[in-house]
Amino acid sequence: MAIEVGDQAPDFELRDQHGTPFKLSGQRGKKIVLIFYPLAFSGVCGSELDALRDEFGADMPEDVKILTISVDSIFAQRAWADQKGYAFSLLSDFWPHGQVARAYGVFDDEKGYAGRGTFIIDGEGVVRWRVVNPVSRARDVAEYHKALADLP
């Protein structure tokens, strides 16, 4: 079942690229940009996360947090983050495989990874914006600025 605008965001706890546990409900009061991507070290995913690093993350307000999620292990994500200089959290939905992507309705059972789903969650944990692109098409990070600007 896909998560829609107005739904309560499913809570989850995953580990980031450093092995640190991260729980979504522990971020109440912050606006969350939750970005699912298929796989680390892939072309389109790399260009998207590079844009997050270069164009979006640099001028983010303090009350906004970027979270990215893939089915890669924390070890692959750590190597990728170190290589690319990603300072935001790369969360591992490795095991149970794709459980969080499934909860948000963006897991591709046939391919075994998450699609390109993005959810903006307000400080109360409600989904206020969402977009799901085909795996072959990168998202436009400028849309994140517009969506965040519309939030109170």
Side-chain angles (χ1 to χ4, degrees):
M1 180 172 114
I3 297 300
E4 300 295 336
V5 171
D7 290 348
Q8 189 71 30
D11 196 18
F12 60 83
E13 184 172 337
L14 296 174
R15 294 191 179 277
D16 70 10
Q17 69 266 34
H18 303 288
T20 305
F22 178 91
K23 189 165 185 163
L24 181 64
S25 59
Q27 298 300 304
R28 292 292 189 255
K30 290 193 179 279
K31 297 169 189 162
I32 304 294
V33 181
L34 184 63
I35 301 165
F36 290 90
Y37 64 96
L39 296 166
F41 296 101
S42 59
V44 176
C45 296
S47 67
E48 284 188 318
L49 271 62
D50 287 354
L52 283 174
R53 178 195 63 211
D54 300 339
E55 301 167 27
F56 185 68
D59 62 348
M60 250 188 354
E62 288 184 27
D63 67 337
V64 175
K65 184 161 185 74
I66 297 172
L67 301 175
T68 65
I69 300 178
S70 77
V71 297
D72 295 293
S73 73
I74 62 172
F75 307 106
Q77 290 180 329
R78 175 69 183 265
W80 199 36
D82 288 351
Q83 178 188 66
K84 302 287 264 174
Y86 299 144
F88 46 82
S89 295
L90 280 70
L91 302 175
S92 175
D93 196 11
F94 183 74
W95 199 257
H97 191 74
Q99 180 177 6
V100 176
R102 280 187 179 88
Y104 280 80
V106 296
F107 189 77
D108 185 328
D109 284 307
E110 187 176 303
K111 294 187 173 127
Y113 52 68
R116 291 193 194 288
T118 305
F119 302 84
I120 293 185
I121 302 165
D122 70 14
E124 300 300 315
V126 176
V127 175
R128 296 298 177 190
W129 185 83
R130 76 181 283 276
V131 65
V132 179
N133 283 8
V135 171
S136 61
R137 195 174 96 224
R139 293 161 279 206
D140 181 0
V141 297
E143 292 179 16
Y144 305 162
H145 284 294
K146 292 176 196 168
L148 286 166
D150 291 341
L151 293 181

